[in-house]
């Protein structure tokens, strides 16, 4: 079973969805650590209730991103973390973590990237008057929501609906899609080798989630 760290900055609903999926046996992962950059965030309470260790820090207490990421890396290595899932973590990942976990950091974003990257993606789409938005799971690189897309799900915007209704529908999709994608990713290498050995075929994660 892979050891997974979740990075979050806010209420932690996606953190909770991953923990719940793991408890149900739907996500083959040990949620080994919460990393949170906002002391007092609700996600810390969630981690405490779920007996998930938390590393909580204030970036302003460090001279640089490299300094606090070095400490995060120490915590990750101490707990033998193999994958990182960003779940509402409101900071760009820097070279220290990107180099240590190359190809093993993923993020969930509430839009159909590349549309509406960055903060308040749901509000951006709502105000733009588009007919649909959605959810994207992608690999993390040095940019803001610019890494390769792994899977997406569209969510229609109903004319005249309050933004709160759209937010609720998007969150429901997030809580289903993220555990499903991570379940595929955590066993991806083994599954990929098996598919190629058996029939030489290769399909994308998004296709296998259909």
């Amino acid at each position: 079973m892979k050891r997974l760290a979740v990075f979050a900055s806010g209420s932690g609903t996606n953190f909770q969805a991953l923990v719940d999926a793991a408890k149900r046996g739907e996500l083959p992962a040990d949620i080994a650590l919460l990393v949170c950059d906002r002391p007092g965030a609700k996600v810390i309470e969630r981690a405490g209730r779920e007996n998930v260790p938390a590393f909580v820090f204030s970036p302003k207490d460090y001279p640089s991103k490299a300094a606090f990421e070095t400490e995060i890396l120490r915590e990750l290595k101490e707990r033998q973390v193999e994958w990182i899932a960003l779940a509402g973590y409101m900071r760009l990942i820097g070279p220290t973590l990107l180099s240590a976990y190359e190809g093993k950091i993923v993020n969930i974003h509430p839009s159909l990237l590349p549309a509406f990257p960055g903060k308040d993606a749901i509000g951006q789409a709502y105000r733009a008057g588009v007919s649909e938005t959605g959810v994207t799971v992608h690999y993390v690189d040095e940019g803001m929501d610019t890494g390769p897309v792994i899977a997406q799900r569209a969510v229609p915007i109903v004319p005249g609906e309050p933004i709160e209704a759209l937010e609720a529908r998007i969150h429901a999709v997030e809580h289903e899609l993220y555990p499903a994608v991570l379940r595929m990713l955590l066993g991806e290498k083994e599954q990929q080798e098996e598919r190629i050995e058996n029939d030489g075929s290769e399909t994308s994660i998004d296709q296998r989630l259909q």
Side-chain angles (χ1 to χ4, degrees):
M1 185 175 291
K2 295 292 196 297
R3 294 178 63 80
L4 177 71
V6 180
F7 286 34
S9 301
S11 65
T13 61
N14 274 304
F15 166 82
Q16 190 70 56
L18 296 179
V19 169
D20 291 345
K23 288 195 295 187
R24 292 192 302 266
E26 297 171 3
L27 176 62
D30 177 7
I31 311 298
L33 181 68
L34 166 71
V35 174
C36 181
D37 63 330
R38 291 185 179 176
K42 186 176 179 180
V43 68
I44 302 168
E45 298 176 19
R46 293 182 186 272
R49 289 196 299 268
E50 299 294 346
N51 295 314
V52 174
F55 174 67
V56 183
F57 69 100
S58 295
K60 62 181 176 59
D61 293 338
Y62 296 83
S64 65
K65 181 189 292 284
F68 67 71
E69 285 201 343
T70 297
E71 191 161 347
I72 292 171
L73 184 58
R74 187 180 305 116
E75 294 282 338
L76 296 172
K77 295 300 186 184
E78 182 176 315
R79 291 172 173 80
Q80 299 178 309
V81 167
E82 299 166 89
W83 283 79
I84 296 171
L86 308 186
Y89 184 67
M90 304 306 291
R91 295 188 178 276
L92 292 178
I93 300 297
T96 301
L97 291 176
L98 286 172
S99 60
Y101 284 90
E102 184 176 2
K104 291 190 175 182
I105 308 177
V106 295
N107 181 48
I108 189 162
H109 183 77
S111 79
L112 294 176
L113 293 173
F116 309 116
K119 295 181 179 179
D120 191 26
I122 299 174
Q124 289 183 59
Y126 186 81
R127 292 187 295 271
V130 295
S131 61
E132 69 174 12
T133 182
V135 175
T136 301
V137 180
H138 64 95
Y139 289 109
V140 173
D141 61 14
E142 66 279 0
M144 181 178 290
D145 303 321
T146 55
V149 170
I150 302 168
Q152 293 184 312
R153 289 290 179 272
V155 176
I157 297 178
V158 179
E161 75 174 329
I163 191 171
E164 292 81 7
L166 176 61
E167 289 172 341
R169 291 192 291 112
I170 287 177
H171 293 328
V173 172
E174 287 181 329
H175 300 164
E176 177 184 349
L177 182 63
Y178 210 12
V181 171
L182 285 168
R183 180 172 64 248
M184 300 294 288
L185 282 175
L186 296 183
E188 178 66 5
K189 183 176 181 181
E190 293 82 359
Q191 293 172 5
Q192 194 175 75
E193 291 173 349
E194 182 179 350
R195 284 194 304 276
I196 292 172
E197 181 179 344
N198 288 344
D199 59 13
S201 66
E202 184 54 66
T203 57
S204 70
I205 285 179
D206 205 35
Q207 288 173 314
R208 295 197 298 282
L209 288 170
Q210 298 297 328

